């Protein structure tokens, strides 16, 4: 056997021994108890979504400290993302301001029968709900602001489609919407029949759903054949 081949054989033997020693050490370590681990566990909040709306984001996961033997903790750390989320029921959303960490710990413990759930990492999570309301609001064109070329008049009804929109969201935000939404016609010196999609310029509110952001406005325009009579007030 050459010197190079002998050297390669010694290296392979050393690497094999090192891997075997590492494997046996890992097996022994994983069989021991009293390891602790932080896990992010999925959580789902139950509440009447037709009546209430969260005004701040609800957490998707909850961090918990668990302890147990190495094998169970290793398995949990790999499989947590496919576990069924713990269902946390919000009994009275308008009065609920924090998550009950004790109750949540007990619920999560039911999902970890082979390890010990010690505590929730964060003592509390803030909650905030409002009653969800909806309104139907009429849409009208601000006809007095329409700029026509001199000698021209609107000769038909001003059509708006849709003429009603729905707004849904937290009561505090939906209540601030006006009773009527007024749409401005931006064109100037209009002398022909008009038909355009116009934005209602409704401010974006992430928690408010608005059925439409624009409306179709149309009306006919005619040229006067004679000046409109000037009326004078009677004395």
């Amino acid at each position: 056997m050459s010197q190079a081949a002998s050297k390669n054989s010694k290296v392979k033997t050393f690497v094999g021994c090192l891997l075997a020693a590492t494997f046996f050490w890992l097996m022994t370590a994983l069989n021991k108890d009293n390891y602790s681990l932080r896990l992010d566990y999925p959580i789902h909040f139950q509440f009447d979504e037709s009546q209430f709306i969260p005004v701040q984001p609800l957490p998707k996961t909850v961090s918990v400290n668990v302890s147990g033997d190495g094998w169970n903790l290793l398995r949990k750390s790999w499989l947590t993302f496919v576990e069924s989320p713990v269902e946390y029921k919000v009994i009275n959303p308008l009065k609920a301001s924090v998550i009950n960490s004790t109750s949540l710990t007990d619920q999560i413990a039911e999902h970890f029968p082979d390890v010990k759930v010690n505590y929730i990492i964060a003592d509390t999570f803030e909650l905030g709900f409002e009653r969800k309301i909806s309104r139907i609001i009429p849409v009208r064109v601000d006809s007095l602001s329409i700029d026509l070329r001199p000698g021209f008049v609107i000769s038909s009804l001003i059509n708006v489609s849709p003429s009603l929109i729905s707004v849904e969201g937290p009561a505090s935000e939906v209540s601030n919407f006006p009773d009527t939404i007024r749409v401005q016609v931006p064109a100037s010196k209009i002398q022909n029949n008009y038909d355009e999609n116009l934005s209602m310029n409704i401010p974006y509110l992430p928690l408010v759903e608005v059925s439409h952001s624009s409306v179709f406005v149309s009306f006919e325009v005619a040229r006067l054949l004679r000046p409109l009579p000037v009326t004078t007030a009677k004395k």
Side-chain angles (χ1 to χ4, degrees):
M1 181 181 294
S2 66
Q3 185 177 358
S6 177
K7 185 176 180 179
N8 288 337
S9 178
K10 289 180 180 179
V11 170
K12 290 179 180 179
T13 301
F14 173 77
V15 171
C17 292
L18 181 62
L19 291 175
T22 302
F23 175 78
F24 285 117
W25 173 84
L26 180 61
M27 294 301 100
T28 302
L30 289 175
N31 283 321
K32 292 181 179 180
D33 289 326
N34 298 323
Y35 287 105
S36 63
L37 182 68
R38 171 175 174 162
L39 295 176
D40 290 329
Y41 197 80
I43 184 172
H44 178 258
F45 292 84
Q46 292 182 337
F47 59 93
D48 188 348
E49 298 185 27
S50 67
Q51 297 293 323
F52 305 99
I53 184 171
V55 292
Q56 59 188 44
L58 296 173
K60 302 294 185 182
T61 60
V62 58
S63 297
V64 295
N65 179 277
V66 297
S67 59
D69 67 69
W71 282 112
N72 282 327
L73 294 183
L74 181 62
R75 181 170 57 85
K76 285 296 182 184
S77 65
W78 284 347
L79 299 179
T80 295
F81 65 93
V82 297
E83 294 277 3
S84 299
V86 60
E87 299 288 343
Y88 183 86
K89 190 171 184 179
V90 184
I91 304 299
N92 191 333
L94 296 181
K95 293 184 178 180
S97 58
V98 295
I99 294 175
N100 185 324
S101 58
T102 302
S103 172
L104 184 58
T105 300
D106 293 339
Q107 288 181 258
I108 293 178
E110 296 177 3
H111 291 248
F112 291 92
D114 46 3
V115 298
K116 180 183 178 182
V117 178
N118 298 314
Y119 53 86
I120 306 293
I121 300 298
D123 292 333
T124 60
F125 293 101
E126 294 184 357
L127 298 175
F129 290 86
E130 281 192 31
R131 190 170 295 282
K132 180 190 288 187
I133 65 171
S134 61
R135 292 176 56 195
I136 301 298
I137 303 177
V139 183
R140 300 289 183 266
V141 171
D142 184 3
S143 58
L144 296 179
S145 68
I146 296 177
D147 185 13
L148 298 171
R149 184 175 292 277
F152 289 81
V153 294
I154 296 174
S155 59
S156 70
L157 293 176
I158 299 176
N159 301 303
V160 182
S161 179
S163 59
L164 300 171
I165 64 167
S166 65
V167 180
E168 183 178 79
S172 63
E173 296 185 355
V174 173
S175 298
N176 288 329
F177 276 72
D179 294 333
T180 301
I181 293 178
R182 300 286 178 181
V183 177
Q184 303 288 325
V185 174
S188 59
K189 308 301 181 184
I190 300 172
Q191 62 180 4
N192 299 312
N193 294 341
Y194 186 87
D195 53 274
E196 293 288 343
N197 279 306
L198 300 179
S199 171
M200 289 183 285
N201 295 320
I202 297 175
Y204 172 72
L205 299 171
L207 298 179
V208 176
E209 293 185 10
V210 182
S211 61
H212 297 79
S213 61
S214 63
V215 290
F216 182 77
V217 175
S218 65
F219 53 85
E220 296 178 3
V221 175
R223 187 169 188 170
L224 290 174
L225 297 179
R226 65 184 66 179
L228 290 174
V230 178
T231 59
T232 57
K234 293 182 179 180
K235 296 183 179 179

Tab-separated table of all heavy atoms in Angstrom, residues 45-49 51-54 58 88-100 125-132:
chain	number	residue	atom	x	y	z
A	45	PHE	N	-58.573	32.908	16.937
A	45	PHE	CA	-59.527	33.553	17.847
A	45	PHE	C	-60.949	33.326	17.349
A	45	PHE	O	-61.253	33.562	16.174
A	45	PHE	CB	-59.227	35.044	17.959
A	45	PHE	CG	-57.939	35.347	18.666
A	45	PHE	CD1	-56.736	35.337	17.989
A	45	PHE	CD2	-57.928	35.613	20.030
A	45	PHE	CE1	-55.543	35.591	18.642
A	45	PHE	CE2	-56.742	35.873	20.686
A	45	PHE	CZ	-55.550	35.861	19.997
A	46	GLN	N	-61.796	32.898	18.250
A	46	GLN	CA	-63.204	32.680	17.935
A	46	GLN	C	-64.035	33.827	18.500
A	46	GLN	O	-63.994	34.110	19.695
A	46	GLN	CB	-63.693	31.360	18.532
A	46	GLN	CG	-63.099	30.118	17.910
A	46	GLN	CD	-63.665	28.857	18.523
A	46	GLN	OE1	-64.164	28.857	19.644
A	46	GLN	NE2	-63.600	27.752	17.796
A	47	PHE	N	-64.788	34.478	17.616
A	47	PHE	CA	-65.727	35.526	18.028
A	47	PHE	C	-66.724	35.694	16.891
A	47	PHE	O	-66.515	35.194	15.779
A	47	PHE	CB	-65.009	36.846	18.342
A	47	PHE	CG	-64.224	37.409	17.182
A	47	PHE	CD1	-64.795	38.330	16.319
A	47	PHE	CD2	-62.916	37.007	16.946
A	47	PHE	CE1	-64.085	38.849	15.250
A	47	PHE	CE2	-62.195	37.511	15.880
A	47	PHE	CZ	-62.778	38.429	15.037
A	48	ASP	N	-67.801	36.370	17.167
A	48	ASP	CA	-68.840	36.575	16.161
A	48	ASP	C	-68.366	37.638	15.166
A	48	ASP	O	-68.482	38.836	15.416
A	48	ASP	CB	-70.149	37.006	16.842
A	48	ASP	CG	-71.322	37.049	15.866
A	48	ASP	OD1	-71.084	36.971	14.640
A	48	ASP	OD2	-72.470	37.150	16.327
A	49	GLU	N	-67.823	37.175	14.031
A	49	GLU	CA	-67.245	38.105	13.061
A	49	GLU	C	-68.300	38.919	12.324
A	49	GLU	O	-67.964	39.905	11.663
A	49	GLU	CB	-66.378	37.332	12.067
A	49	GLU	CG	-65.194	36.633	12.722
A	49	GLU	CD	-64.275	35.968	11.717
A	49	GLU	OE1	-64.219	36.435	10.562
A	49	GLU	OE2	-63.625	34.980	12.092
A	51	GLN	N	-70.664	40.470	13.925
A	51	GLN	CA	-71.060	41.535	14.842
A	51	GLN	C	-69.890	42.388	15.329
A	51	GLN	O	-70.078	43.540	15.699
A	51	GLN	CB	-71.772	40.933	16.066
A	51	GLN	CG	-73.060	40.204	15.746
A	51	GLN	CD	-74.144	41.141	15.254
A	51	GLN	OE1	-74.261	42.277	15.729
A	51	GLN	NE2	-74.948	40.691	14.312
A	52	PHE	N	-68.679	41.812	15.329
A	52	PHE	CA	-67.533	42.518	15.909
A	52	PHE	C	-66.348	42.468	14.950
A	52	PHE	O	-66.249	41.576	14.103
A	52	PHE	CB	-67.137	41.890	17.257
A	52	PHE	CG	-68.266	41.826	18.248
A	52	PHE	CD1	-68.969	40.646	18.431
A	52	PHE	CD2	-68.641	42.937	18.982
A	52	PHE	CE1	-70.018	40.572	19.333
A	52	PHE	CE2	-69.687	42.880	19.878
A	52	PHE	CZ	-70.372	41.695	20.057
A	53	ILE	N	-65.442	43.428	15.124
A	53	ILE	CA	-64.260	43.500	14.287
A	53	ILE	C	-63.072	43.904	15.152
A	53	ILE	O	-63.173	44.828	15.964
A	53	ILE	CB	-64.464	44.497	13.121
A	53	ILE	CG1	-63.259	44.501	12.186
A	53	ILE	CG2	-64.734	45.900	13.633
A	53	ILE	CD1	-63.491	45.290	10.899
A	54	PRO	N	-61.920	43.221	15.019
A	54	PRO	CA	-60.733	43.627	15.787
A	54	PRO	C	-60.145	44.914	15.214
A	54	PRO	O	-59.961	45.032	13.995
A	54	PRO	CB	-59.775	42.444	15.622
A	54	PRO	CG	-60.209	41.765	14.369
A	54	PRO	CD	-61.683	41.981	14.251
A	58	LEU	N	-54.768	40.691	15.351
A	58	LEU	CA	-54.725	39.572	16.284
A	58	LEU	C	-53.496	38.716	15.966
A	58	LEU	O	-53.184	38.489	14.800
A	58	LEU	CB	-55.989	38.718	16.158
A	58	LEU	CG	-57.305	39.406	16.525
A	58	LEU	CD1	-58.479	38.495	16.190
A	58	LEU	CD2	-57.328	39.766	18.010
A	88	TYR	N	-58.937	30.040	20.771
A	88	TYR	CA	-59.166	30.899	21.936
A	88	TYR	C	-60.477	31.653	21.717
A	88	TYR	O	-60.601	32.449	20.783
A	88	TYR	CB	-58.009	31.878	22.127
A	88	TYR	CG	-58.152	32.743	23.367
A	88	TYR	CD1	-57.703	32.295	24.604
A	88	TYR	CD2	-58.744	34.010	23.285
A	88	TYR	CE1	-57.835	33.076	25.730
A	88	TYR	CE2	-58.877	34.792	24.411
A	88	TYR	CZ	-58.420	34.326	25.634
A	88	TYR	OH	-58.561	35.107	26.754
A	89	LYS	N	-61.449	31.409	22.572
A	89	LYS	CA	-62.770	32.005	22.412
A	89	LYS	C	-62.849	33.326	23.161
A	89	LYS	O	-62.574	33.391	24.364
A	89	LYS	CB	-63.853	31.045	22.917
A	89	LYS	CG	-65.264	31.495	22.560
A	89	LYS	CD	-66.281	30.417	22.894
A	89	LYS	CE	-67.680	30.818	22.440
A	89	LYS	NZ	-68.676	29.758	22.736
A	90	VAL	N	-63.214	34.378	22.442
A	90	VAL	CA	-63.412	35.693	23.051
A	90	VAL	C	-64.888	35.803	23.420
A	90	VAL	O	-65.750	35.934	22.551
A	90	VAL	CB	-63.000	36.826	22.079
A	90	VAL	CG1	-63.127	38.185	22.768
A	90	VAL	CG2	-61.578	36.608	21.574
A	91	ILE	N	-65.168	35.755	24.719
A	91	ILE	CA	-66.557	35.690	25.191
A	91	ILE	C	-67.288	37.001	24.954
A	91	ILE	O	-68.370	37.041	24.373
A	91	ILE	CB	-66.601	35.320	26.688
A	91	ILE	CG1	-65.861	33.995	26.934
A	91	ILE	CG2	-68.051	35.220	27.162
A	91	ILE	CD1	-66.469	32.821	26.203
A	92	ASN	N	-66.714	38.098	25.391
A	92	ASN	CA	-67.347	39.410	25.244
A	92	ASN	C	-66.351	40.359	24.591
A	92	ASN	O	-65.568	41.022	25.280
A	92	ASN	CB	-67.797	39.950	26.609
A	92	ASN	CG	-68.690	41.170	26.470
A	92	ASN	OD1	-68.605	41.910	25.487
A	92	ASN	ND2	-69.545	41.396	27.453
A	93	PRO	N	-66.330	40.427	23.254
A	93	PRO	CA	-65.298	41.207	22.564
A	93	PRO	C	-65.213	42.669	22.986
A	93	PRO	O	-64.116	43.224	23.028
A	93	PRO	CB	-65.703	41.079	21.087
A	93	PRO	CG	-66.450	39.793	21.016
A	93	PRO	CD	-67.205	39.710	22.310
A	94	LEU	N	-66.340	43.294	23.281
A	94	LEU	CA	-66.311	44.724	23.624
A	94	LEU	C	-65.669	44.971	24.981
A	94	LEU	O	-65.233	46.091	25.269
A	94	LEU	CB	-67.724	45.308	23.591
A	94	LEU	CG	-68.411	45.306	22.222
A	94	LEU	CD1	-69.784	45.938	22.313
A	94	LEU	CD2	-67.561	46.024	21.180
A	95	LYS	N	-65.615	43.965	25.828
A	95	LYS	CA	-65.002	44.125	27.151
A	95	LYS	C	-63.644	43.435	27.252
A	95	LYS	O	-62.921	43.659	28.227
A	95	LYS	CB	-65.945	43.576	28.220
A	95	LYS	CG	-67.229	44.373	28.387
A	95	LYS	CD	-68.081	43.833	29.533
A	95	LYS	CE	-69.340	44.666	29.729
A	95	LYS	NZ	-70.175	44.150	30.849
A	96	ALA	N	-63.312	42.602	26.289
A	96	ALA	CA	-62.039	41.875	26.339
A	96	ALA	C	-60.892	42.807	25.957
A	96	ALA	O	-60.855	43.330	24.843
A	96	ALA	CB	-62.083	40.676	25.395
A	97	SER	N	-59.959	43.017	26.871
A	97	SER	CA	-58.820	43.898	26.606
A	97	SER	C	-57.500	43.140	26.543
A	97	SER	O	-56.534	43.623	25.950
A	97	SER	CB	-58.723	44.993	27.677
A	97	SER	OG	-58.594	44.414	28.966
A	98	VAL	N	-57.434	41.951	27.180
A	98	VAL	CA	-56.218	41.140	27.152
A	98	VAL	C	-56.595	39.666	27.046
A	98	VAL	O	-57.728	39.281	27.340
A	98	VAL	CB	-55.340	41.343	28.415
A	98	VAL	CG1	-54.800	42.760	28.490
A	98	VAL	CG2	-56.118	40.989	29.671
A	99	ILE	N	-55.631	38.859	26.629
A	99	ILE	CA	-55.804	37.411	26.611
A	99	ILE	C	-55.541	36.873	28.011
A	99	ILE	O	-54.595	37.293	28.686
A	99	ILE	CB	-54.838	36.764	25.609
A	99	ILE	CG1	-55.196	37.191	24.184
A	99	ILE	CG2	-54.860	35.249	25.724
A	99	ILE	CD1	-54.215	36.703	23.151
A	100	ASN	N	-56.364	35.969	28.443
A	100	ASN	CA	-56.157	35.297	29.726
A	100	ASN	C	-55.046	34.259	29.538
A	100	ASN	O	-55.274	33.182	28.991
A	100	ASN	CB	-57.463	34.637	30.180
A	100	ASN	CG	-57.347	34.034	31.564
A	100	ASN	OD1	-56.309	33.501	31.938
A	100	ASN	ND2	-58.424	34.116	32.326
A	125	PHE	N	-51.549	39.637	26.021
A	125	PHE	CA	-51.678	40.197	24.682
A	125	PHE	C	-52.862	41.157	24.720
A	125	PHE	O	-53.931	40.806	25.187
A	125	PHE	CB	-51.957	39.102	23.644
A	125	PHE	CG	-50.823	38.154	23.433
A	125	PHE	CD1	-50.836	36.904	24.021
A	125	PHE	CD2	-49.747	38.509	22.647
A	125	PHE	CE1	-49.804	36.015	23.823
A	125	PHE	CE2	-48.699	37.626	22.443
A	125	PHE	CZ	-48.723	36.376	23.033
A	126	GLU	N	-52.650	42.348	24.207
A	126	GLU	CA	-53.744	43.316	24.195
A	126	GLU	C	-54.738	42.963	23.094
A	126	GLU	O	-54.363	42.535	22.006
A	126	GLU	CB	-53.203	44.725	23.992
A	126	GLU	CG	-52.354	45.233	25.155
A	126	GLU	CD	-51.917	46.672	24.954
A	126	GLU	OE1	-52.226	47.237	23.882
A	126	GLU	OE2	-51.278	47.221	25.859
A	127	LEU	N	-56.001	43.144	23.418
A	127	LEU	CA	-57.071	42.930	22.457
A	127	LEU	C	-57.886	44.210	22.319
A	127	LEU	O	-57.994	44.992	23.276
A	127	LEU	CB	-57.995	41.789	22.906
A	127	LEU	CG	-57.385	40.392	23.041
A	127	LEU	CD1	-58.423	39.433	23.604
A	127	LEU	CD2	-56.882	39.890	21.701
A	128	GLY	N	-58.459	44.404	21.167
A	128	GLY	CA	-59.325	45.557	20.954
A	128	GLY	C	-60.361	45.246	19.892
A	128	GLY	O	-60.008	44.903	18.765
A	129	PHE	N	-61.615	45.348	20.262
A	129	PHE	CA	-62.712	45.069	19.333
A	129	PHE	C	-63.689	46.241	19.326
A	129	PHE	O	-63.812	46.970	20.314
A	129	PHE	CB	-63.469	43.795	19.724
A	129	PHE	CG	-62.704	42.523	19.527
A	129	PHE	CD1	-61.858	42.043	20.509
A	129	PHE	CD2	-62.837	41.791	18.351
A	129	PHE	CE1	-61.153	40.866	20.334
A	129	PHE	CE2	-62.137	40.611	18.168
A	129	PHE	CZ	-61.291	40.152	19.157
A	130	GLU	N	-64.366	46.392	18.216
A	130	GLU	CA	-65.485	47.329	18.118
A	130	GLU	C	-66.643	46.609	17.452
A	130	GLU	O	-66.452	45.607	16.751
A	130	GLU	CB	-65.114	48.567	17.299
A	130	GLU	CG	-64.303	49.602	18.046
A	130	GLU	CD	-64.231	50.910	17.277
A	130	GLU	OE1	-65.199	51.223	16.541
A	130	GLU	OE2	-63.213	51.607	17.414
A	131	ARG	N	-67.820	47.161	17.669
A	131	ARG	CA	-68.972	46.599	16.981
A	131	ARG	C	-68.872	46.922	15.496
A	131	ARG	O	-68.513	48.027	15.101
A	131	ARG	CB	-70.264	47.167	17.567
A	131	ARG	CG	-71.512	46.443	17.077
A	131	ARG	CD	-72.740	46.875	17.865
A	131	ARG	NE	-72.656	46.482	19.264
A	131	ARG	CZ	-72.889	45.250	19.712
A	131	ARG	NH1	-73.213	44.288	18.856
A	131	ARG	NH2	-72.800	44.982	20.987
A	132	LYS	N	-69.194	45.932	14.660
A	132	LYS	CA	-69.180	46.129	13.214
A	132	LYS	C	-70.550	46.640	12.768
A	132	LYS	O	-71.577	46.072	13.127
A	132	LYS	CB	-68.858	44.815	12.493
A	132	LYS	CG	-68.831	44.938	10.974
A	132	LYS	CD	-68.740	43.578	10.309
A	132	LYS	CE	-67.362	42.977	10.483
A	132	LYS	NZ	-67.214	41.725	9.688
